[in-house]
């Protein structure tokens, strides 16, 4: 019963993570309208890292003091925030939030391929392969052929989002190395390392004190930092340890209808007519990739 309850909790957290990250594309789209991408992401990592560090202190935890741990945090930051966050923010100045969501939803595919071809740290089962296929089918149904009409436009921006997706896949695999740590520690450590890298770049290239951001962009930045970054990364690092890297990144399939739906609601972007059918395939794909096979009972 306990294992079943733990699985239910993990699947609920997986759905919440999909909502938080699905909304992030709309927050980014609104934010970069008046805030330069590097400054926007520097502020995102600084605010999220500060919140997480304050909570860690309040809980009486301590950040690791050894250089090796901070080197790992810095590398995780490059894979999970500095590079992909900045690429996506820059791309969304010309790419719709919905299309960014769709392109970024390929992260489980890259994670699956990296796992199967390189790391081999998780079993590559037929069921997971079918889950990947079901997720791809669902994405195609939700996008529809008309939604792909813009795929050839803003090519470099779209390739930047795909590159960010590859980074996320690597981050999901590397993040397994933090097993045994409270999930808040790698979340805070990677965010703080990201801020240390990005804030100087922002000061040199963007001169943020000369910017005049709109109220909407500031509110989007705050929502992105608190909910879609600080809270989301705590959930993310927990799920990496319980569902594995492929299972955790499979929430990208759920992000598609959520992200496209939020973009349609707040930005006027259009949804495909087959969205509900596509969502069924996506949920099936997530289940196939995350629900463990029941072990046979031992003979007595």
């Amino acid at each position: 019963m306990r294992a079943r309850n733990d699985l239910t909790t993990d699947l609920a957290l997986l759905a919440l993570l999909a909502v938080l990250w699905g909304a992030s594309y709309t927050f980014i789209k609104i934010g970069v309208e008046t805030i330069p991408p590097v400054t926007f992401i520097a502020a995102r990592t600084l605010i999220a890292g500060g919140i997480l560090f304050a909570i860690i202190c309040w809980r009486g935890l301590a950040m690791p003091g050894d250089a090796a741990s901070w080197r790992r945090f810095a590398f995780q930051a490059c894979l999970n925030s500095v590079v992909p966050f900045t690429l996506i923010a820059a791309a969304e100045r010309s790419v719709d939030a919905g299309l960014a969501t769709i392109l970024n939803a390929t992260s489980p595919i890259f994670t699956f391929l990296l796992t199967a071809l390189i790391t081999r740290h998780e079993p590559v089962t037929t069921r997971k392969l079918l889950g990947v296929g079901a997720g791809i089918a669902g994405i195609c149904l939700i996008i529809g052929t008309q939604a792909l009409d813009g795929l050839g436009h803003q090519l470099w921006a779209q390739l930047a989002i795909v590159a960010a997706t590859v980074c996320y896949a690597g981050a999901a695999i590397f993040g397994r190395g933090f097993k045994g740590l409270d999930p808040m520690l790698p979340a805070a450590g990677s965010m703080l390392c990201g801020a240390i890298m990005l804030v100087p770049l922002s000061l040199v290239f963007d001169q943020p004190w000369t910017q005049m951001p709109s109220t909407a962009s500031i509110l989007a930045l705050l929502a992105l930092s608190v909910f879609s970054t600080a809270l989301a990364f705590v959930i993310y690092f927990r799920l990496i340890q319980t569902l594995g890297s492929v299972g955790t990144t499979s929430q990208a399939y759920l992000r598609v209808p959520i992200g496209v739906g939020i973009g349609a609601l707040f930005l006027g972007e259009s949804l495909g007519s087959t969205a509900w059918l596509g969502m069924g395939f996506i949920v099936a794909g997530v289940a196939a990739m995350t629900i463990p096979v029941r072990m046979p009972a031992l003979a007595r």
Side-chain angles (χ1 to χ4, degrees):
M1 181 64 68
R2 178 178 175 82
R4 182 176 298 178
N5 291 337
D6 289 343
L7 177 60
T8 300
T9 300
D10 286 342
L11 292 179
L13 289 174
L14 192 73
L16 176 58
L17 184 61
V19 172
L20 294 172
W21 277 349
S24 69
Y25 300 95
T26 295
F27 292 146
I28 292 169
K29 185 71 175 179
I30 296 171
V32 297
E33 287 178 354
T34 60
I35 303 175
V38 173
T39 296
F40 185 76
I41 299 305
R44 175 185 183 180
T45 54
L46 182 62
I47 294 170
I51 291 171
L52 291 170
F53 184 72
I55 295 174
I56 285 171
C57 294
W58 176 72
R59 290 179 59 195
L61 299 175
M63 296 295 294
D66 59 293
S69 293
W70 283 96
R71 283 195 296 268
R72 291 166 60 213
F73 289 158
F75 186 69
Q76 182 74 15
C78 291
L79 289 176
N80 221 21
S81 57
V82 175
V83 176
F85 284 2
T86 305
L87 287 175
I88 292 172
E92 283 205 51
R93 286 199 149 183
S94 56
V95 173
D96 285 346
L99 184 55
T101 307
I102 291 162
L103 291 173
N104 202 226
T106 56
S107 59
I109 298 171
F110 288 109
T111 304
F112 181 84
L113 292 174
L114 289 174
T115 298
L117 299 176
I118 301 175
T119 64
R120 300 181 181 178
H121 63 273
E122 293 181 20
V124 180
T125 64
T126 301
R127 193 175 64 156
K128 285 185 178 181
L129 186 60
L130 291 174
V132 171
I136 294 173
I139 289 170
C140 292
L141 285 168
I142 288 176
I143 297 170
T145 55
Q146 293 182 352
L148 284 174
D149 288 345
L151 194 57
H153 306 304
Q154 304 96 32
L155 178 61
W156 291 110
Q158 292 163 17
L159 288 176
I161 296 173
V162 174
T165 302
V166 177
C167 289
Y168 285 142
I173 294 172
F174 185 77
R176 295 176 67 254
F178 297 111
K179 189 171 185 177
L181 288 179
D182 186 285
M184 278 198 171
L185 298 181
S190 62
M191 286 295 108
L192 292 172
C193 286
I196 290 170
M197 298 177 199
L198 288 169
V199 168
L201 294 177
S202 168
L203 296 175
V204 172
F205 293 106
D206 290 340
Q207 298 179 345
W209 58 88
T210 66
Q211 306 296 324
M212 296 292 291
S214 66
T215 301
S217 290
I218 293 173
L219 291 176
L221 170 61
L222 292 175
L224 179 71
S225 302
V226 175
F227 299 108
S228 297
T229 308
L231 176 59
F233 269 83
V234 173
I235 296 172
Y236 170 83
F237 279 106
R238 169 188 164 139
L239 293 178
I240 285 290
Q241 306 304 331
T242 56
L243 293 181
S245 56
V246 173
T248 301
T249 55
S250 68
Q251 49 74 32
Y253 294 145
L254 290 174
R255 280 207 315 262
V256 174
I258 293 169
V260 172
I262 292 173
L265 182 63
F266 293 99
L267 303 176
E269 298 173 355
S270 60
L271 283 169
S273 59
T274 56
W276 287 108
L277 180 59
M279 186 179 295
F281 277 90
I282 287 167
V283 171
V286 171
M289 297 179 72
T290 56
I291 298 177
V293 178
R294 184 185 298 274
M295 298 299 293
L298 295 175
R300 296 183 180 180

